[in-house]
Amino acid sequence: MIYQTTVGNLTYRFADLKTLLAKAGPARSGDSLAGLAADSYEERMAAKIALADVPLKRFLDEALIPYEADEITRLIIDSHDAAAFAPISHLTVGDFRDWLLLDSTDSATLAATARGITPEMAAAVSKLMRNQDLILAAKKCRVITRFRNTIGLPGHLSVRLQPNHPTDDVRGIAASMLDGLLYGSGDAVVGINPASDSQATLMQLWQMMDELRQRFEIPLQSCVLTHVTSQIQAIEAGAPIDLVFQSIAGTQKTNQSFGIDLALLREAHEAALSLGRGTLGDNVMYFETGQGSALSAGGHHGVDQQTCEARAYAVAREFRPLLTNTVVGFIGPEYLYDGKQIIRAGLEDHFCAKLLGVPMGCDVCYTNHAEADQDDMDNLLTLLGAAGITFIMGIPGADDIMLNYQSTSFHDALYLRSTLGLKRAPEFDAWLAKMAITDPSGQLRQIGRGHALLRAGNL
């Protein structure tokens, strides 16, 4: 089907829905690299005008990637909830934007509609929205998950404590963990990106985190971010695994480049559930995504990078994760060139995921060869806090010494919580008070060298 609109004396025609979506998206280097972006601001606006008139039902009839060729397309279509879609089925993409911004479209309404919204619908409407629209609509979405604590409550912000080390030195990792805990971070997850894929090293990391958790009765969950097959093997070997991690993408071909498919993720999900380690809930998966991964893997099928990213959230939604995280600026300036593009992408990813019912956090980050700096990250951090982000990263000094990129620190979480009045996960907050890390108001106490956590690490 050809989509068209006239601007002035020019009529713009778009060959199909995926071309229309790509041309309507905000400018970004990845779509330009792929040859998908609009050639001018006028063409981009013409595409937006045409997209606004597309009925939402059209996304159920015109697959961007053929049903027969892609298992993610099949997942999206086969799991679509027609009853949840019914209240908005008469809307166009432009009408959908207006509906999302109505005061009467509240959290309960959005939750009831989530399973009726496809990723392509979410991506489409995001292309018509200003940054403030993305913030306002996302703020109304409530996605609450549980394992050993409760994540995603309104007015709360959790932090992934990321104690990476370039040689997986257990003592160095433990020191970063204790540092983060004493700053009140870690209620989302303590998650280590290992430098090694040695099963013996990985087992040591899982055991160290679990021993610390049990010794001090900390209501948190841990994770080692290695390949899902290694985690399945470790579960079979008796490792104390809380959350199973995997990077995911929005096309079958890209996931194959990661060495995964939906069947493998189902096996991992079942293995994690079989351990029964959660005390409050059974959300046992942790996923990471990022715009540009499909293009990088040659698996985008001519679909723009933001729509490919939104399709990854259909994968996440299928497995009821505790956490999903867009590592927004990590892939590099080939895909998100500068601070402006990174900020926009972070807001898009958060909005689309929350709209689809996915618990979404963001690694507010950039690489050192991008046209971005920490001020850009402060801006995105603050905007995401206003939008109700589920969690952010907590890294010593905001500088990951293993992955070599810039992210957010324990102090950044303190800033965001103080500025916006956000709380930690309630169970974790109670533990901090019990350990005399925080005072009755929730503020951090001055910690002396004799504190129990410091004695535990001989620090």
Side-chain angles (χ1 to χ4, degrees):
M1 178 177 176
I2 294 176
Y3 301 86
Q4 68 180 46
T5 191
T6 300
V7 179
N9 295 323
L10 289 177
T11 297
Y12 289 88
R13 293 180 175 85
F14 307 96
D16 50 30
L17 194 51
K18 70 178 177 182
T19 301
L20 180 62
L21 285 168
K23 299 290 188 181
R28 60 202 51 191
S29 53
D31 291 336
S32 295
L33 181 65
L36 304 175
D39 293 328
S40 66
Y41 287 108
E42 186 173 276
E43 185 184 25
R44 182 173 295 114
M45 185 53 65
K48 289 179 185 291
I49 292 169
L51 180 59
D53 290 333
V54 174
L56 291 180
K57 289 180 180 178
R58 185 66 197 160
F59 292 92
L60 301 175
D61 299 327
E62 184 178 342
L64 306 188
I65 303 172
Y67 182 92
E68 299 77 12
D70 186 88
E71 69 173 356
I72 312 306
T73 298
R74 294 194 290 274
L75 172 67
I76 291 167
I77 297 301
D78 294 348
S79 63
H80 182 252
D81 188 330
F85 180 60
I88 59 171
S89 61
H90 62 291
L91 300 178
T92 64
V93 177
D95 295 333
F96 188 33
R97 172 192 175 273
D98 295 341
W99 180 83
L100 287 168
L101 299 177
L102 289 173
D103 289 340
S104 56
T105 304
D106 58 14
S107 300
T109 302
L110 290 169
T113 311
R115 297 294 301 194
I117 301 169
T118 69
E120 292 85 353
M121 294 175 194
V125 74
S126 76
K127 296 175 189 296
L128 304 184
M129 300 172 83
R130 294 167 57 185
N131 285 2
Q132 67 172 245
D133 299 338
L134 297 173
I135 293 167
L136 178 61
K139 178 79 169 180
K140 295 192 286 185
C141 297
R142 300 279 182 258
V143 185
I144 299 170
T145 56
R146 294 178 174 87
F147 189 76
R148 289 197 187 94
N149 56 31
T150 305
I151 296 173
L153 292 168
H156 289 67
L157 170 74
S158 293
V159 177
R160 170 188 160 187
L161 204 172
Q162 186 170 307
N164 295 343
H165 192 279
T167 64
D168 293 333
D169 180 78
V170 173
R171 184 171 172 80
I173 290 171
S176 292
M177 281 181 60
L178 294 174
D179 188 26
L181 290 170
L182 292 172
Y183 275 108
S185 291
D187 50 342
V189 63
V190 177
I192 302 169
N193 297 91
S196 167
D197 59 3
S198 160
Q199 197 73 355
T201 298
L202 300 177
M203 188 69 77
Q204 190 177 27
L205 297 179
W206 277 307
Q207 290 172 344
M208 180 272 291
M209 289 190 290
D210 199 54
E211 287 169 5
L212 182 66
R213 177 191 67 81
Q214 291 192 64
R215 178 174 178 181
F216 292 100
E217 300 179 325
I218 312 173
L220 56 71
Q221 38 280 331
S222 64
C223 185
V224 177
L225 283 69
T226 188
H227 194 268
V228 66
T229 52
S230 295
Q231 293 166 90
I232 293 172
Q233 292 171 8
I235 288 173
E236 293 171 348
I241 291 179
D242 292 338
L243 305 185
V244 167
F245 162 82
Q246 181 57 47
S247 294
I248 57 172
T251 73
Q252 179 177 338
K253 187 174 181 180
T254 309
N255 282 327
Q256 286 173 341
S257 77
F258 295 163
I260 63 167
D261 57 19
L262 294 177
L264 181 59
L265 292 178
R266 290 190 181 98
E267 180 184 350
H269 186 225
E270 291 169 3
L273 287 173
S274 72
L275 299 178
R277 291 175 60 84
T279 55
L280 295 183
D282 64 352
N283 300 114
V284 295
M285 302 297 285
Y286 175 24
F287 295 121
E288 287 192 346
T289 67
Q291 287 194 30
S293 61
L295 176 58
S296 178
H300 64 295
H301 299 273
V303 178
D304 69 273
Q305 67 181 41
Q306 191 245 330
T307 302
C308 283
E309 170 73 5
R311 285 168 54 95
Y313 308 151
V315 179
R317 182 168 65 178
E318 177 71 6
F319 298 99
R320 302 186 301 108
L322 181 77
L323 308 164
T324 303
N325 174 41
T326 172
V327 193
V328 67
F330 183 74
I331 299 182
E334 299 86 354
Y335 307 99
L336 295 170
Y337 179 72
D338 57 15
K340 181 180 177 67
Q341 292 188 11
I342 292 171
I343 288 168
R344 174 70 190 190
L347 294 175
E348 288 170 348
D349 294 351
H350 177 246
F351 161 76
C352 289
K354 286 288 185 65
L355 189 63
L356 294 169
V358 174
M360 196 62 168
C362 183
D363 191 341
V364 179
C365 64
Y366 64 102
T367 57
N368 287 317
H369 63 309
E371 292 294 323
D373 58 26
Q374 209 66 41
D375 286 337
D376 294 314
M377 299 306 103
D378 286 350
N379 292 342
L380 177 54
L381 177 68
T382 306
L383 293 172
L384 286 170
I389 192 76
T390 300
F391 70 102
I392 62 170
M393 303 298 109
I395 299 170
D399 184 1
D400 193 300
I401 59 173
M402 196 282 282
L403 293 173
N404 294 311
Y405 77 114
Q406 310 305 312
S407 185
T408 49
S409 70
F410 308 137
H411 297 84
D412 292 325
L414 295 178
Y415 148 74
L416 199 59
R417 284 171 172 152
S418 177
T419 302
L420 300 180
L422 302 173
K423 300 177 181 178
R424 305 172 185 88
E427 301 85 359
F428 189 76
D429 226 7
W431 176 81
L432 291 172
K434 184 182 76 170
M435 293 293 294
I437 296 171
T438 57
D439 63 23
S441 70
Q443 299 299 309
L444 293 177
R445 294 179 183 270
Q446 292 290 331
I447 299 297
R449 296 177 69 91
H451 192 276
L453 283 178
L454 296 178
R455 292 200 307 272
N458 294 318
L459 300 174

